[in-house]
Amino acid sequence: GGPSAMLRRRGDLADTVTGLPECLVGQYAQAYLQDAAVHKALNVVPGTQLAPWTACSDTLHAYYGETVPSVLADYAGFIGQTHVMIYNGDADARIPFTDNQNWTSSLAASLGLRTVEPWQPWLVEESQVGGYITKYSNDFGFMTVRGAGHMVPQFKPAAAFEMFKRFLSDTL
């Protein structure tokens, strides 16, 4: 028994709609996190009243107060000190890439950065479009990963790895 056996028992299943492994789909995570064996493995004190776990809830939102109004000043402090590349999957349903594209271009303009390379494709394997990139002066940029959702490495691992390698070697 226990949580690992539960995962092994269900490990060969995938969601028939998304094709994603079950542990990434809310209904399976919900069942798993409400299982008594999982509570025991997490050292939850027996008898503790727990609210049912759910992937989406407004419960925290009702109690959440903004602790940091904006992190733009933090980014502004990094730019010019180190490489800064903001990226998004272009199929991200949580944070559309256009939002990050807008704030990065506004930040670049407010800092007086010039556009070194305008919006253009970046390639994977020399022939496949990996996404699009805009480069600004002072080693600042914004890029997308084509076809990736919110968790870019989960959706496009090869393109994410290529992006990361190029970022580290300063060859984006």
Side-chain angles (χ1 to χ4, degrees), residues 54-67:
T54 180
C56 299
S57 169
D58 287 330
T59 302
L60 290 180
H61 182 70
Y63 300 101
Y64 179 76
E66 214 172 72
T67 55

Side-chain angles (χ1 to χ4, degrees), residues 51-164:
W53 188 91
T54 180
C56 299
S57 169
D58 287 330
T59 302
L60 290 180
H61 182 70
Y63 300 101
Y64 179 76
E66 214 172 72
T67 55
V68 178
S70 175
V71 295
L72 289 179
D74 296 328
Y75 281 110
F78 295 137
I79 296 170
Q81 305 299 314
T82 189
H83 303 300
V84 177
M85 181 62 66
I86 307 302
Y87 69 92
N88 269 90
D90 67 4
D92 186 341
R94 293 179 188 259
I95 303 173
F97 78 88
T98 51
D99 288 358
N100 282 345
Q101 185 180 37
N102 288 337
W103 75 254
T104 54
S105 65
S106 294
L107 181 59
S110 73
L111 295 173
L113 304 179
R114 69 185 194 294
T115 301
V116 175
E117 294 180 25
W119 189 246
Q120 61 186 297
W122 64 276
L123 303 178
V124 177
E125 299 176 8
E126 298 181 24
S127 63
Q128 297 295 315
V129 174
Y132 290 84
I133 186 169
T134 300
K135 294 182 187 177
Y136 301 99
S137 54
N138 289 8
D139 282 328
F140 180 54
F142 172 75
M143 68 189 305
T144 65
V145 177
R146 185 171 169 237
H150 189 67
M151 303 298 287
V152 171
Q154 173 188 337
F155 291 96
K156 293 291 183 175
F161 184 61
E162 187 63 30
M163 174 184 69
F164 188 63

